[in-house]
Amino acid sequence: LESYYILSGSSVFACQGDRMWHFAISVFLIELYGHNLLLTGIFGLVVAGSVLLLGALIGDWVDRNPRNKVAHGSLFIQNISVTVCSIVLMLVFSYKKRIEEIWDGWLTVVCYTVVIVLANVANLASTALTIAIQRDWIVVITGYNRGHLAGMNATMRRIDQVTNILAPLAVGQVMTLSSNVVGCGFILGWNLVSLIVEFIFLSRVYRIVPSLSIKPPAMEHQSYLEKKRERKRSQGKTYIFEIIRSIMFRPITCREGWRAYYRQPVFLAGLGLAFLYTTVLGFDCITTGYAYTQGISGSLLSILMAVSAVAGLLGTVLFTKLRKTCGLVNTGIISSGLHLVCLLLCLCSVFAPGSPLDLTVLNTGNVSDVGGMTGGHQRHGYPLRGSSNQPLLPDRSSIHWTNNTVLFENMPAGTGPESYVSIILLFLGVITARVGLWSFDLTVTQLLQETICESERGVVNGVQSSMNYLMDLLHFIMVISAPQPQHFGILVIISILFIFTGHTMYFLYARKVKRKPHTNT
């Protein structure tokens, strides 16, 4: 019980720091590049690409090393990277004009590169820490008790949902009331304090749970990857050759990690969860930006985001109740059905009154102006104003900062859709769907925890993270291909198709499990 509370306290500090940093770095990058989204887009691609390519290697590193070294190493790298990145940002914001004059402006490019690289390293370390703590430690701490594991998974998700509301508000208020430099200093201070607190908490948990220091004997629980490495080690004698082989066989480790993922009995369920990432039906910059074009104010969006977080919390409660009464596999089936039913409201919104859907704008001849709306095709959409020579975003004094997006405070006078039925149905579907979505997410998470053998837990969850990022990249490619408000209905339909495909994969997994006469769910 003590380890449960200590680990929860560590998660509060970790989640709060992660959420504040994710919100702040997107704002900082926009500010650095003259209120343009270029740096933010580059950062997103670098982060997603890095996890996609290195997810298996990160997980393999988690498997190969003692739990305390993995947790402490990941924690140190993550927080120090954020701290150094904050220092660089403070210097850039303080001496931006002077830096732009050095090396004909190339020093600025170097600073941008350093910021993106450090932020990416911090994200990779955070991925490793998440795999180690939330996919491995809590399984051992709960003693492989499925009921306790479900409760701890739900608690972790609740902490994440609450900090998702509080963290942007905290750092946003600091930046609004003071400056970007002070905001960087606030992030820096929090990470240094968080590093010390989390290190103490994790060390305490490691000491009071002796089983954390024990990993399965190599001969009894040796994974496929470990056996392959053992055969390679037997071919050489010296340490330097071992290092060279370790570097040369990294691509092999990555490939075998994906094979290990494919061989898991829970493969279809994990892949189904990844498919749910290809969607615009969430509170990210895409959906909130679309809502603004439909006449929804920033203040109302903030309220809707809070309601969405509450719906996510209800999803964690639903998960724990259903798991006790129906079993884990059936919980996933019920959650999938609830998720899909709620998303029907989003599908109805595409064709409801007030929807800006207009397939004729897919013709490139009709999208020559800013916002892609000319002549008779300017229907229900309200693009950001400005010419091609103006920055995409206005001065900071006229915008409202919210989680993962930038929204104008005031809409142009006299604008608004003919009907709000479409946008109401859209957000009603998105918010209510969070209940089934988070319950389903927790179901698949616990299935991965229970099904994967301990020696492969890290590498398989690393590949799962890679799959999630890959499918998330697809949804950004969708938006780039169809960026106008009139296209959003098409994106909604495509998103629902991906989600339906993901849940179908889970249904196939559940059917396969239920055919086994002695399967304990």
Side-chain angles (χ1 to χ4, degrees), residues 13-23 78 126 130 167 190:
F13 277 87
C15 290
Q16 182 75 6
D18 284 349
R19 292 295 188 177
M20 287 196 302
W21 174 244
H22 290 159
F23 171 79
Q78 179 193 12
S126 176
T130 299
W190 178 274

Side-chain angles (χ1 to χ4, degrees), residues 431-452:
I431 291 174
T432 56
R434 311 303 278 184
V435 179
L437 172 63
W438 289 120
S439 180
F440 178 77
D441 181 272
L442 285 169
T443 300
V444 177
T445 296
Q446 184 154 342
L447 284 170
L448 291 169
Q449 292 168 331
E450 293 181 1
T451 307
I452 302 169

Side-chain angles (χ1 to χ4, degrees), residues 427-473:
F427 277 97
L428 187 61
V430 169
I431 291 174
T432 56
R434 311 303 278 184
V435 179
L437 172 63
W438 289 120
S439 180
F440 178 77
D441 181 272
L442 285 169
T443 300
V444 177
T445 296
Q446 184 154 342
L447 284 170
L448 291 169
Q449 292 168 331
E450 293 181 1
T451 307
I452 302 169
C453 65
E454 188 172 351
S455 58
E456 290 185 335
R457 196 174 288 154
V459 68
V460 172
N461 279 286
V463 175
Q464 180 67 48
S465 297
S466 296
M467 283 299 307
N468 295 344
Y469 271 92
L470 173 62
M471 304 308 293
D472 193 42
L473 270 178

Side-chain angles (χ1 to χ4, degrees), residues 230-521:
E230 194 64 36
R231 290 196 299 269
K232 291 183 175 65
R233 291 192 187 103
S234 64
Q235 298 171 0
K237 301 296 182 182
T238 64
Y239 180 70
I240 187 64
F241 288 156
E242 174 62 27
I243 295 177
I244 294 174
R245 278 196 303 273
S246 177
I247 295 173
M248 292 177 61
F249 288 115
R250 282 301 177 193
I252 296 177
T253 301
C254 186
R255 183 175 67 250
E256 297 304 332
W258 284 84
R259 288 182 179 177
Y261 177 72
Y262 176 75
R263 290 186 289 104
Q264 299 300 318
V266 76
F267 163 72
L268 279 176
L271 187 62
L273 176 63
F275 265 69
L276 269 58
Y277 280 74
T278 307
T279 179
V280 296
L281 301 175
F283 278 91
D284 59 2
C285 55
I286 307 303
T287 307
T288 50
Y290 167 77
Y292 170 77
T293 69
Q294 300 305 296
I296 304 299
S297 67
S299 59
L300 179 56
L301 276 171
S302 299
I303 296 173
L304 291 175
M305 290 173 66
V307 175
S308 175
V310 173
L313 293 175
L314 292 177
T316 65
V317 175
L318 177 67
F319 165 74
T320 54
K321 300 293 185 183
L322 288 178
R323 197 209 64 83
K324 289 181 181 179
T325 57
C326 305
L328 189 58
V329 174
N330 288 333
T331 297
I333 295 174
I334 297 172
S335 301
S336 294
L338 178 61
H339 188 205
L340 290 172
V341 168
C342 293
L343 289 181
L344 290 178
L345 295 173
C346 299
L347 182 62
C348 293
S349 74
V350 175
F351 308 100
S355 171
L357 180 65
D358 188 356
L359 299 181
T360 59
V361 298
L362 291 176
N363 187 336
T364 56
N366 294 330
V367 292
S368 58
D369 64 322
V370 176
M373 292 174 286
T374 60
H377 299 302
Q378 188 170 349
R379 177 173 169 265
H380 304 315
Y382 309 97
L384 306 183
R385 294 171 292 176
S387 67
S388 59
N389 295 324
Q390 292 176 324
L392 179 63
L393 301 175
D395 291 335
R396 185 174 176 188
S397 58
S398 64
I399 59 180
H400 169 75
W401 298 100
T402 187
N403 190 24
N404 296 329
T405 189
V406 183
L407 304 171
F408 286 81
E409 276 289 335
N410 301 309
M411 286 292 295
T415 63
E418 297 173 358
S419 172
Y420 286 96
V421 173
S422 176
I423 196 67
I424 290 173
L425 285 175
L426 175 69
F427 277 97
L428 187 61
V430 169
I431 291 174
T432 56
R434 311 303 278 184
V435 179
L437 172 63
W438 289 120
S439 180
F440 178 77
D441 181 272
L442 285 169
T443 300
V444 177
T445 296
Q446 184 154 342
L447 284 170
L448 291 169
Q449 292 168 331
E450 293 181 1
T451 307
I452 302 169
C453 65
E454 188 172 351
S455 58
E456 290 185 335
R457 196 174 288 154
V459 68
V460 172
N461 279 286
V463 175
Q464 180 67 48
S465 297
S466 296
M467 283 299 307
N468 295 344
Y469 271 92
L470 173 62
M471 304 308 293
D472 193 42
L473 270 178
L474 291 182
H475 112 268
F476 282 110
I477 294 174
M478 284 165 42
V479 174
I480 292 172
S481 303
Q484 307 305 330
Q486 297 94 329
H487 302 156
F488 192 79
I490 301 174
L491 301 182
V492 170
I493 295 173
I494 295 175
S495 297
I496 293 176
L497 289 176
F498 269 94
I499 293 172
F500 179 79
T501 302
H503 286 306
T504 300
M505 291 179 180
Y506 181 83
F507 292 147
L508 292 175
Y509 162 78
R511 181 185 177 188
K512 182 178 179 181
V513 169
K514 287 180 175 295
R515 282 184 173 181
K516 297 179 181 180
H518 300 293
T519 298
N520 183 11
T521 60

